[in-house]
Amino acid sequence: MVGIVSPLADVVAGASGALVSYLWKAATVVLAIMLMVVGVGSGTGWWLASAARDKAMVDLRTEQGINAQLRAGVDAQNTAILAQAKLAREAEARGAAAQQAAAANGRRYDQALQQITGVRAASCADAMPYVNQLLEKVR
C-alpha cells in the first residue's frame, strides 16, 4: 500500500499545488483590478478637488474685487459726509455771525428811529435832514 499512497499523494499534492497556484493568480488579478479602481477613483477625486479649488479661487478673486470696489465707494461716501459736515459747521458759524450782525444793526436802527420818533415834516426838504441823520446812524 505504500506504493499506492505515494502516487496518489503525488497526484493530490500536484492538484492542490495547481489549485493553490491558480488561487494566487486569481487573487493577484483581483487585487490588481482593485488597485486600479482605487487609483482611478483617487485620481478622479484629486482632479475634481483641483477643479473645485480652482473655481473657488476664481470666485474668491472676483468677490475680493467687488469687495474692494464697495470699500472704495464707502470710503468716498465717508469722505463726502465728512466734507459736508465741515461745510455745515462753517455755514452754521457764518449764520451765527450774520445773526449777531443783524441784531447789532437792528439795535442801531432802533436807536436811530427813537431819536427821530416825534419829528414831523411838511415837505421833502424838511424831512431830508432827518433821513440823512437816520442813514448816518444806521451805517
Side-chain angles (χ1 to χ4, degrees):
M1 266 237 22
V2 174
I4 297 176
V5 171
S6 181
L8 183 59
D10 288 340
V11 171
V12 170
S16 69
L19 181 64
V20 167
S21 174
Y22 174 74
L23 288 175
W24 276 108
K25 287 179 185 177
T28 303
V29 169
V30 168
L31 285 175
I33 290 171
M34 287 177 61
L35 281 174
M36 285 185 0
V37 167
V38 168
V40 168
S42 296
T44 302
W46 279 104
W47 178 73
L48 290 173
S50 173
R53 183 203 64 224
D54 292 343
K55 184 178 180 330
M57 291 298 289
V58 167
D59 292 345
L60 176 65
R61 287 188 189 101
T62 302
E63 290 299 321
Q64 285 174 339
I66 292 170
N67 191 0
Q69 290 174 351
L70 291 175
R71 285 184 187 271
V74 168
D75 289 343
Q77 286 178 347
N78 288 342
T79 302
I81 289 169
L82 292 175
Q84 188 66 30
K86 180 182 174 188
L87 291 173
R89 285 190 303 271
E90 291 171 357
E92 287 173 2
R94 286 191 309 272
Q99 285 178 347
Q100 290 173 355
N105 288 338
R107 284 190 299 272
R108 280 196 332 248
Y109 182 69
D110 288 342
Q111 290 171 354
L113 281 178
Q114 285 176 358
Q115 290 177 1
I116 62 169
T117 300
V119 175
R120 300 258 182 233
S123 68
C124 193
D126 293 340
M128 280 315 290
Y130 298 109
V131 171
N132 286 335
Q133 180 186 357
L134 177 67
L135 290 175
E136 284 295 324
K137 290 186 178 181
V138 172
R139 190 183 334 173

